[in-house]
Amino acid sequence: MDSGWRYRVASVAGVVVLTAVAVALVNNATIQSIATTIPILSRLPTDPPTGPEFTIELLVTIAVVVSVFLPLYKPRPRRILDAIALAQKRVLVPALVLATIGYFDYSYKLPRLTVVLVTPLLLVALPAWFVWIRKRPSSNGERTIVVGDNLQVIEEVASEVNGTLLGYLCPTSVITTIEQTEAIADGGTNPSGLERLGGLSRIEDVLVEYDIDTVVLAFEHADRAEFFGALDACYEYGVNAKVHRDHADSVLTASGGVGTLVDVEIEPWDIQDYILKRAFDIAFASAGLIALSPVIVGIVVAIKLEDGGSILYRQDRTAVFGETFSIYKFRSMIENAEGETGVKISDEDAGGVDPRVTSVGRVLRQTHLDEIPQLWSILRGDMSVVGPRPERPVLDSDIQTGVVDWQKRWFVKPGLTGPAQVNHVTGKEPGEKLRYDLEYVRDQSFSYDMKLVSRQIWSVIIDIIMAHKNH
């Protein structure tokens, strides 16, 4: 494949077609009769669905399998054994999901015999497909490039790389003198003989064109725009990333790493955790917006009656890998509240009184109802229900100068609530907040999410009751 998109389309199409063929094949009456001659399968009824029932069951199976194979759609170089192992591991997940659907006896369940027969077919067919279309890695070992903004750091890091080092990416602006320009033009070499493959803007093209396995980051400073932009590209293309140990404080690294270069945990959770978490996010946000619709109307009326100003307030917040996104809150301050003070953490976070907060806004903050519009951000996928609370970019920059490891919060999607929130830790205590957030990144699970959500809902109920008593 010479294009990331062509690979993605081919991989998804192959999963859809092979799954459909497998389901159709095992639902054949003759096939099922032959299968039931096997003693272990003899007790399963041969009742292949027909008509609309078969169509529904076919679509359910395809949807489950396609969703589970999401990580394999990235155009990443894979060796044959890697492709087989990863694909077979994924096949077992939809088998369990489809069996669970059958256990609850839903109307669109697959017959047990169908699930039993389709699983071994997919265990053979899907790995074979991904082997066929896989991007071929180099036979000389792991294919690696160095990405950085300082030639000296790049050369130092390059000497620590194992495997096949193909070259490096570096901004053209770094090449300042005439001698450097002549020696390190595109396609040229630096004094150590390492080939320059282009500027940082070419990273995505290079990852695909050269079938890269690993990117080693060699930036002088782990800044948001370039350092984390390179990590974002690695994430999108399923490429491993390493970083010099001096920058380990800026990234989430695998525990127990040794040596000068350490592995970056670009995806700290398993794909099943991401899928389950996203499903809960959609269900929670949808139910919340519907259930709270009368409250939303009341809040809109109250804000308008107080000062006639805008209803919503937009803020930029830091997302995954230091990117930004917009969230909306019900306006709880006077209009243009930060015009004179600038961006700052509210005095209320430290237990004080913020004079910029309106009367209606004070109630909204005490009851957390000003956060309701963020359910829309969750539905859009910008946020999750549970995760590190996103800070404003300006405040993020200020906190980074005094708190080591702060950027590690950027490796997971930010949340409406999290362990710091349920333990009443605010931005006034960034060190303590970070401790709770990193604990969550390391220990996330669906049961842990449910525990945090339950505690947050209970806390909101208590705050509503207290606010009602005070007013």
Side-chain angles (χ1 to χ4, degrees):
M1 292 293 173
D2 57 7
S3 165
W5 280 111
R6 286 181 59 192
Y7 178 88
R8 292 173 190 268
V9 171
S11 57
V12 173
V15 172
V16 171
V17 172
L18 291 173
T19 302
V21 170
V23 173
L25 184 63
V26 302
N27 275 290
N28 179 274
T30 303
I31 297 295
Q32 292 199 358
S33 297
I34 295 173
T36 52
T37 60
I38 301 174
I40 196 172
L41 302 179
S42 60
R43 295 185 179 181
L44 298 178
T46 56
D47 53 351
T50 58
E53 182 181 357
F54 171 76
T55 301
I56 293 175
E57 294 175 357
L58 178 65
L59 294 177
V60 169
T61 307
I62 291 175
V64 171
V65 176
V66 168
S67 299
V68 171
F69 271 77
L70 184 63
L72 273 68
Y73 304 146
K74 296 178 181 179
R76 174 182 174 180
R78 302 187 190 278
R79 296 172 180 82
I80 293 179
L81 291 180
D82 292 338
I84 293 174
L86 289 170
Q88 288 187 334
K89 182 179 178 180
R90 294 293 164 186
V91 169
L92 299 178
V93 177
L96 293 175
V97 172
L98 295 171
T100 302
I101 292 175
Y103 174 80
F104 286 104
D105 201 28
Y106 294 147
S107 59
Y108 48 81
K109 70 175 183 180
L110 265 72
R112 286 177 294 172
L113 185 58
T114 299
V115 176
V116 171
L117 295 180
V118 81
T119 300
L121 286 180
L122 294 182
L123 278 172
V124 174
L126 293 182
W129 176 248
F130 280 98
V131 167
W132 177 260
I133 68 170
R134 83 190 194 285
K135 296 180 68 62
R136 274 68 171 173
S138 169
S139 59
N140 297 324
E142 189 175 76
R143 298 168 66 87
T144 304
I145 61 170
V146 179
V147 177
D149 61 359
N150 182 286
L151 295 179
Q152 182 178 353
V153 177
I154 290 174
E155 191 164 359
E156 291 175 356
V157 168
S159 65
E160 301 291 338
V161 173
N162 295 320
T164 304
L165 183 56
L166 300 182
Y168 71 99
L169 298 178
C170 182
T172 304
S173 59
V174 173
I175 317 302
T176 55
T177 65
I178 296 177
E179 291 83 2
Q180 287 174 322
T181 303
E182 293 174 350
I184 314 177
D186 281 346
T189 59
N190 66 11
S192 67
L194 189 62
E195 181 181 4
R196 180 173 182 259
L197 304 176
L200 297 183
S201 61
R202 290 205 65 230
I203 184 169
E204 295 187 4
D205 295 332
V206 170
L207 293 181
V208 175
E209 181 181 348
Y210 290 86
D211 296 338
I212 301 302
D213 293 290
T214 301
V215 169
V216 180
L217 303 181
F219 290 87
E220 186 174 7
H221 301 289
D223 70 293
R224 179 183 309 193
E226 297 178 338
F227 184 86
F228 283 91
L231 283 178
D232 190 24
C234 292
Y235 171 79
E236 289 297 326
Y237 286 85
V239 174
N240 297 324
K242 293 180 181 290
V243 66
H244 194 281
R245 186 166 292 279
D246 290 345
H247 287 163
D249 290 342
S250 301
V251 296
L252 198 65
T253 57
S255 58
V258 295
T260 304
L261 304 180
V262 293
D263 294 318
V264 180
E265 284 195 296
I266 298 179
E267 294 183 278
W269 305 330
D270 190 75
I271 188 62
Q272 284 81 5
D273 295 318
Y274 284 103
I275 293 174
L276 190 59
K277 192 175 181 65
R278 182 58 185 153
F280 174 74
D281 287 346
I282 294 173
F284 184 92
S286 300
L289 289 171
I290 294 172
L292 295 173
S293 54
V295 178
I296 294 173
V297 173
I299 293 173
V300 170
V301 173
I303 293 174
K304 279 296 183 182
L305 288 178
E306 182 173 32
D307 60 12
S310 58
I311 296 168
L312 296 175
Y313 174 62
R314 185 183 71 84
Q315 287 184 337
D316 288 334
R317 295 293 180 100
T318 303
V320 179
F321 297 126
E323 296 184 351
T324 59
F325 71 104
S326 297
I327 67 168
Y328 291 87
K329 294 184 176 184
F330 285 122
R331 183 173 59 84
S332 58
M333 292 186 177
I334 59 175
E335 290 278 10
N336 195 29
E338 296 177 338
E340 296 183 1
T341 64
V343 177
K344 70 172 189 175
I345 297 175
S346 174
D347 294 334
E348 292 183 347
D349 285 352
V353 176
D354 194 331
R356 302 173 299 171
V357 179
T358 64
S359 298
V360 171
R362 188 158 287 109
V363 176
L364 293 179
R365 288 188 167 204
Q366 290 174 350
T367 58
H368 306 281
L369 295 177
D370 62 321
E371 309 279 1
I372 291 177
Q374 291 177 53
L375 293 175
W376 177 248
S377 297
I378 294 173
L379 205 57
R380 282 169 47 90
D382 294 328
M383 294 175 59
S384 183
V385 176
V386 183
R389 187 72 179 141
E391 294 290 349
R392 304 181 70 173
V394 174
L395 299 178
D396 254 328
S397 298
D398 292 339
I399 293 173
Q400 288 175 56
T401 60
V403 180
V404 177
D405 292 349
W406 184 257
Q407 297 98 319
K408 292 182 179 181
R409 303 169 72 252
W410 297 348
F411 281 74
V412 298
K413 190 178 294 185
L416 183 62
T417 188
Q421 283 65 45
V422 300
N423 287 284
H424 309 292
V425 177
T426 68
K428 287 285 188 179
E429 306 167 276
E432 187 71 2
K433 180 180 175 67
L434 177 64
R435 183 178 70 82
Y436 279 112
D437 288 340
L438 293 186
E439 174 188 294
Y440 175 75
V441 172
R442 296 294 187 186
D443 300 333
Q444 188 277 339
S445 66
F446 185 69
S447 60
Y448 190 20
D449 281 2
M450 295 303 98
K451 178 181 178 181
L452 293 173
V453 170
S454 300
R455 289 181 61 185
Q456 184 63 64
I457 292 175
W458 177 251
S459 178
V460 170
I461 293 173
I462 297 298
D463 288 342
I464 291 175
I465 294 174
M466 296 302 296
H468 178 71
K469 289 182 178 180
N470 294 333
H471 292 81

